[in-house]
């Protein structure tokens, strides 16, 4: 569950890291594979994916020091219970203060994960030495990526981020959210095989939610959309190409 209101008793005036906290999932086993983690959502995203259900997190804003202080207080209380902290969004690499926050989380002996669409490859490269795991969103193949995310030139940046991850040795997975407004089944297969050919060993196909989408058209049924069983069958056929591939709801 996402808690969008941080405990007001924690919002004391402090000097420190400014991050705009959009919400938090206090405990999850889904967002960092094989680890018990919390997810910190940061406000602001440069992309405009039609299926996005976190539209309220898109508008950027300046963070207040008290917001990160509240997260710190929460993490102090969860030492020995949680294994990892995942920064998500929005697009977390949008924020210059993220490296400092990552360093503080590492100093508290948590592993650190990152969810990103890779629009800022240089920032990702600087962060990687401090990260333990990355989930890289690959929204489409080539220029389809730009069409799906609603911004030109992002697919090249995402490709640079993928290359950086492949060269880094940091554990990561690629994931693609499939909405049949954007994909046909053959498109999913081509994208998956392209990633496998690039050297991606862990891949997740995520079925898009059809409620509270940024674009209302994505909430409507898609004519002739493949049934879930066909997508599941495709994922099974792709299994030999990856060390790990999953279909997630």
């Amino acid at each position: 569950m996402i808690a969008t209101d941080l405990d007001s008793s924690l919002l004391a005036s402090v000097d420190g890291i400014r991050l705009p906290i959009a919400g938090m999932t206090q405990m999850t086993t889904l967002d960092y594979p094989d680890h018990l983690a919390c997810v910190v959502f940061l406000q602001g995203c440069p992309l405009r994916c039609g299926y996005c259900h976190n539209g309220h997190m898109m508008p950027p804003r300046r963070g207040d020091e008290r917001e990160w202080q509240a997260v710190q207080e929460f993490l102090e209380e969860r030492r020995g219970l949680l294994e990892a902290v995942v920064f998500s969004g929005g697009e977390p690499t949008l924020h210059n203060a993220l490296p400092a926050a990552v360093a503080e989380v590492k100093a508290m002996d948590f592993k650190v994960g990152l969810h990103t669409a890779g629009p800022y490859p240089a920032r990702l490269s600087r962060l990687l030495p401090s990260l333990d795991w990355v989930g890289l969103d690959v929204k489409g193949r080539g220029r389809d990526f730009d069409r799906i995310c609603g911004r030109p030139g992002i697919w090249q940046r995402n490709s640079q981020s993928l290359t950086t991850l492949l060269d880094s040795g940091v554990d990561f997975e690629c994931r693609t959210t499939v909405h049949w407004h954007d994909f046909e089944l053959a498109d999913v297969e081509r994208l998956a095989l392209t990633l496998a050919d690039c050297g991606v060993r862990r891949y997740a196909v995520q079925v898009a939610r059809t409620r509270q989408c940024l674009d209302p058209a994505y909430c409507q049924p898609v004519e002739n959309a493949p049934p879930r069983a066909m997508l599941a069958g495709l994922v099974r056929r792709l299994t030999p190409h990856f060390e790990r591939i999953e279909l997630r709801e």
Side-chain angles (χ1 to χ4, degrees), residues 10-242:
L10 299 177
L11 299 182
S13 179
V14 295
D15 294 324
I17 293 169
R18 288 181 176 270
L19 278 177
I21 308 300
M24 183 188 299
T25 298
Q26 296 186 355
M27 189 177 295
T28 173
T29 59
L30 302 176
D31 293 275
Y32 188 135
D34 306 318
H35 287 74
L36 187 63
C38 76
V39 183
V40 179
F41 295 90
L42 303 185
Q43 184 81 28
C45 183
L47 309 184
R48 294 297 181 268
C49 306
Y51 59 77
C52 181
H53 61 275
N54 285 338
H56 61 287
M57 296 185 190
M58 286 185 175
R61 65 175 176 83
R62 181 172 171 81
D64 186 288
E65 297 99 327
R66 295 172 294 178
E67 296 177 75
W68 179 245
Q69 177 68 13
V71 174
Q72 288 179 307
E73 295 282 353
F74 169 81
L75 293 177
E76 285 287 353
E77 295 174 357
R78 297 305 190 275
R79 284 194 181 196
L81 175 62
L82 294 174
E83 299 172 282
V85 177
V86 178
F87 290 92
S88 189
E91 172 51 56
T93 60
L94 183 68
H95 302 287
N96 292 329
L98 180 60
V102 168
E104 289 200 357
V105 172
K106 294 287 285 187
M108 297 169 74
D109 296 322
F110 293 102
K111 291 186 175 182
V112 179
L114 176 74
H115 292 171
T116 179
Y120 306 110
R123 295 183 187 183
L124 176 61
S125 181
R126 290 192 293 270
L127 273 172
L128 280 175
S130 301
L131 299 178
D132 299 288
W133 176 83
V134 176
L136 179 68
D137 290 330
V138 182
K139 298 181 182 295
R141 187 169 175 263
R143 287 182 171 80
D144 286 340
F145 191 116
D146 291 354
R147 173 179 56 81
I148 292 168
C149 78
R151 289 289 185 268
I154 301 297
W155 76 268
Q156 293 100 328
R157 298 183 187 184
N158 179 269
S159 180
Q160 292 175 38
S161 292
L162 175 57
T163 298
T164 299
L165 278 168
L166 287 165
D167 292 341
S168 71
V170 174
D171 191 20
F172 78 97
E173 73 172 23
C174 289
R175 65 268 294 275
T176 299
T177 300
V178 174
H179 192 295
W180 299 119
H181 187 92
D182 296 319
F183 284 91
E184 294 183 359
L185 199 63
D187 298 324
V188 181
E189 183 172 14
R190 281 192 292 268
L191 175 58
L193 292 175
T194 298
L195 292 173
D197 288 344
C198 288
V200 173
R201 301 272 63 90
R202 298 184 180 183
Y203 187 44
V205 177
Q206 304 176 153
V207 179
R209 301 176 186 179
T210 55
R211 296 192 302 274
Q212 298 181 339
C213 297
L214 179 67
D215 184 341
Y218 282 70
C219 300
Q220 303 303 315
V222 176
E223 187 176 357
N224 298 321
R228 185 189 182 283
M230 289 186 67
L231 183 58
L234 172 60
V235 169
R236 287 193 296 270
R237 293 197 302 276
L238 290 167
T239 298
H241 299 277
F242 298 92

